[in-house]
Amino acid sequence: MQLTDYVNTFGDYLKRRFGESVHKLSLSGNFTCPNRDGSLGFGGCTFCNATSFTASSSVKSIAEQLSLNRSGKSLKYLAYFQAYTSTYAEAKELNRLYLEALKGADIVGLCVGTRPDCLSNEALDLLAEIQACGYEVWVELGLQTAFDETLKLINRHHTFNDYVTAVKRLHDYNLKICTHLIIGLPSEELLHNLTTLELVLNEGVDALKLHQLHIVKGALMAKQYAEGQIKVLSLEEYAQIAAKIIQYTPKDILFERVSASVMDDSLIAPMWSKHRWPPINAITTILHEQGGQGSLVGEVFKKL
Ligand code: SF4
């Protein structure tokens, strides 16, 4: 019994597309974020770890990162600009970074993580050009929730409507979209997550990434958590909600991730996030017992 028996995973999609396992190589382009540099705000999203921003001088070149991060387990890789807002730079700089990342013969594509309000025409032109050359290209959009009240509460400085606009533009460019959602945000419960899912599916999406709310050192939420203003989900609560999201998602949508882990000492809560497999195994067990991806499509949302 494994997750891939019940979920249409991104890993399996890549295997089908490339005939072998393809791993993502995480890269930092030394980007910042409009929610940090003052364009929109200085504090950042309340769950984001400010202390992990790195001084520009200490960031390694893309070539160095690519060589250091290759795992040896895979023959093909997607270059993944993961840190912060990886479309938030001048077109010339994006061009330099993306093309440098694609230089290796074993790099078959590019993934860029960004905000819905940070997609310039130049960035989209560039990504579409790269895709037209035969590379696999994914834009990973941080949405987290479709509820504007929650987006405000966590200081995202964008709205769901910004996401809708971004998705329309990405569709115009024929670029693939992976949307990131957080389960367990303050003031939210299962019905918020399922409503967010419905709204995201209505706009059209190719893949989803789910993860639990983490409280990490350096984030504004660390203080709120210490003061008892916010709570985190138990592993069982998280697995129940994640499983429901998967069951309400049509089978053709890929899941890039169904939970996340924080393996360094920045994690404050929940401590079960230190380990990768317990949440995946708990979700798999629920899907095995109650039905896998797509099994609740068309059903009215049910409370847990
Ligand atoms: S989560 Fe993303 S958008 Fe929010 S502050 Fe961190 S880098 Fe910026």
Side-chain angles (χ1 to χ4, degrees):
M1 181 174 74
Q2 52 189 0
L3 187 73
T4 50
D5 295 336
Y6 307 99
V7 176
N8 185 11
T9 65
F10 187 61
D12 276 358
Y13 158 78
L14 291 175
K15 260 189 216 161
R16 290 192 297 273
R17 161 106 157 79
F18 294 99
E20 60 185 294
S21 292
V22 179
H23 288 191
K24 284 171 94 173
L25 277 176
S26 284
L27 302 171
S28 170
N30 197 25
F31 294 100
T32 178
C33 156
N35 204 8
R36 294 229 172 248
D37 69 3
S39 305
L40 292 172
F42 289 104
C45 307
T46 59
F47 58 83
C48 182
N49 178 1
T51 57
S52 61
F53 273 91
T54 324
S56 54
S57 57
S58 67
V59 169
K60 295 183 174 60
S61 73
I62 297 300
E64 281 175 294
Q65 293 179 59
L66 283 170
S67 118
L68 284 172
N69 296 351
R70 277 184 174 85
S71 66
K73 291 182 197 152
S74 179
L75 293 175
K76 290 188 173 132
Y77 296 93
L78 295 174
Y80 178 25
F81 285 96
Q82 179 176 21
Y84 306 109
T85 303
S86 300
T87 54
Y88 189 52
E90 296 293 325
K92 202 172 152 198
E93 178 65 355
L94 292 180
N95 195 58
R96 184 186 74 74
L97 289 166
Y98 295 169
L99 296 193
E100 193 177 351
L102 291 168
K103 268 187 185 154
D106 53 356
I107 307 294
V108 295
L110 184 68
C111 303
V112 293
T114 188
R115 294 168 51 91
D117 54 358
C118 282
L119 294 168
S120 65
N121 288 340
E122 292 81 4
L124 294 181
D125 285 340
L126 177 58
L127 291 169
E129 270 174 43
I130 292 169
Q131 182 170 259
C133 292
Y135 287 104
E136 180 80 10
V137 174
W138 283 83
V139 176
E140 302 205 8
L141 282 181
L143 171 64
Q144 323 311 352
T145 172
F147 285 83
D148 285 346
E149 312 87 88
T150 316
L151 289 168
K152 198 167 178 194
L153 199 63
I154 61 173
N155 208 28
R156 284 288 294 176
H157 281 288
H158 69 70
T159 61
F160 181 65
N161 199 42
D162 291 326
Y163 172 82
V164 171
T165 303
V167 168
K168 282 195 173 66
R169 295 181 63 227
L170 287 165
H171 284 155
D172 287 345
Y173 278 84
N174 204 22
L175 287 164
K176 292 190 275 300
I177 304 166
C178 173
T179 298
H180 294 206
L181 302 175
I182 297 180
I183 298 173
L185 286 169
S187 83
E188 295 208 345
E189 54 182 32
L190 173 69
L191 287 182
H192 293 89
N193 299 123
L194 293 181
T195 305
T196 291
L197 174 71
E198 187 174 50
L199 292 167
V200 165
L201 293 175
N202 285 347
E203 295 309 316
V205 70
D206 303 286
L208 297 171
K209 249 188 192 181
L210 309 179
H211 79 78
Q212 63 273 35
L213 177 68
H214 294 137
I215 311 295
V216 290
K217 291 176 189 166
L220 293 169
M221 270 190 186
K223 185 166 178 282
Q224 297 170 332
Y225 181 75
E227 290 169 353
Q229 294 173 36
I230 48 177
K231 290 185 183 152
V232 292
L233 296 173
S234 68
L235 191 158
E236 294 70 26
E237 288 168 330
Y238 177 76
Q240 290 285 351
I241 297 175
K244 279 281 174 282
I245 290 175
I246 293 166
Q247 290 168 328
Y248 276 105
T249 301
K251 285 185 178 167
D252 60 324
I253 309 288
L254 303 169
F255 277 89
E256 261 223 48
R257 193 169 65 193
V258 298
S259 69
S261 44
V262 180
M263 293 187 185
D264 59 34
D265 66 3
S266 66
L267 182 68
I268 295 173
M271 291 320 284
W272 55 266
S273 286
K274 270 215 173 298
H275 306 284
R276 179 170 180 227
W277 288 105
I280 294 176
N281 291 341
I283 292 165
T284 305
T285 301
I286 296 169
L287 298 175
H288 170 71
E289 289 169 356
Q290 299 176 10
Q293 183 174 343
S295 57
L296 291 178
V297 169
E299 300 273 331
V300 176
F301 296 161
K302 288 183 193 127
K303 280 185 178 279
L304 284 174

